[in-house]
Amino acid sequence: MMQGSDPASLPLRDIHLPDAISWWPLAPGWWISLLLVIILITSIVYFVRRYRSHKLSALYLANKELEQIKNNFDTNQNKIVLVKALSELIRRVSISVFQRQETAGLTGEEWLAFLDRYTENNAFNNGIGRVLIEAPYQANPDFNSNELLELISSWLETVKKQHKR
């Protein structure tokens, strides 16, 4: 072996590794991805709030109209007009709040069964709510108008509570 050929005695420097790649600053692709995620989340929140407020505003307006129906009934005491107005009101509310295909085609017993989903004691099918399908065919219907108005009011409140969730 040659003199001075010992590798440990050579004047070499250590191998220097490059610095580790930092996560900051982010590459442009990450900035674009982050921006798209923010836009997506904002859009979802906006549309969910808008959808909920539409349903809740329909119920708010329905309560206002119910008050107007009560006032009209207090003035004219016409039970047939009252039943028709209340029936039309809850039909419009159900089409606005629920899916149209779920409620628009319901009539008679099916309609009352649908309304009973939002009552505690089947008050539409087995109680005062039957007036909605029977009274329009009677010349002089006899029913407790205050009880019917209270049923419609409680139905609206129940639907409102279930749609706030």
Side-chain angles (χ1 to χ4, degrees):
M1 245 179 124
M2 287 178 69
Q3 205 177 28
S5 63
D6 180 24
S9 65
L10 294 174
L12 298 176
R13 296 185 189 171
D14 272 343
I15 297 174
H16 292 283
L17 296 175
D19 292 335
I21 298 174
S22 172
W23 63 273
W24 194 261
L26 295 177
W30 286 110
W31 284 109
I32 292 170
S33 298
L34 184 63
L35 181 65
L36 289 176
V37 167
I38 290 171
I39 289 171
L40 179 68
I41 290 171
T42 305
S43 299
I44 289 171
V45 168
Y46 170 77
F47 286 114
V48 166
R49 281 187 165 180
R50 185 170 176 221
Y51 179 74
R52 280 183 151 183
S53 81
H54 166 72
K55 289 183 180 290
L56 293 177
S57 68
L59 291 165
Y60 172 78
L61 293 173
N63 281 319
K64 291 291 186 190
E65 188 170 339
L66 181 61
E67 287 300 318
Q68 188 176 12
I69 291 170
K70 285 179 186 178
N71 292 337
N72 289 344
F73 178 72
D74 289 342
T75 303
N76 63 21
Q77 294 294 311
N78 188 336
K79 289 186 175 184
I80 293 176
V81 171
L82 174 68
V83 169
K84 287 181 181 179
L86 291 174
S87 185
E88 182 182 323
L89 173 67
I90 59 174
R91 177 71 69 172
R92 285 193 342 255
V93 167
S94 66
I95 289 173
S96 295
V97 173
F98 304 104
Q99 293 181 0
R100 185 179 197 94
Q101 59 270 25
E102 181 182 359
T103 62
L106 297 177
T107 57
E109 299 295 328
E110 291 175 339
W111 174 239
L112 295 180
F114 171 79
L115 295 174
D116 275 336
R117 290 187 213 167
Y118 302 95
T119 63
E120 293 177 4
N121 53 3
N122 292 338
F124 283 99
N125 221 353
N126 300 327
I128 188 70
R130 290 200 66 76
V131 169
L132 295 174
I133 62 171
E134 295 172 352
Y137 305 106
Q138 297 174 351
N140 192 14
D142 185 32
F143 62 90
N144 185 336
S145 56
N146 290 331
E147 190 178 343
L148 180 61
L149 287 165
E150 182 57 38
L151 174 62
I152 300 298
S153 180
S154 69
W155 183 84
L156 288 172
E157 286 304 313
T158 303
V159 169
K160 183 177 182 178
K161 286 177 187 173
Q162 287 192 0
H163 275 33
K164 272 190 173 180
R165 295 179 196 164

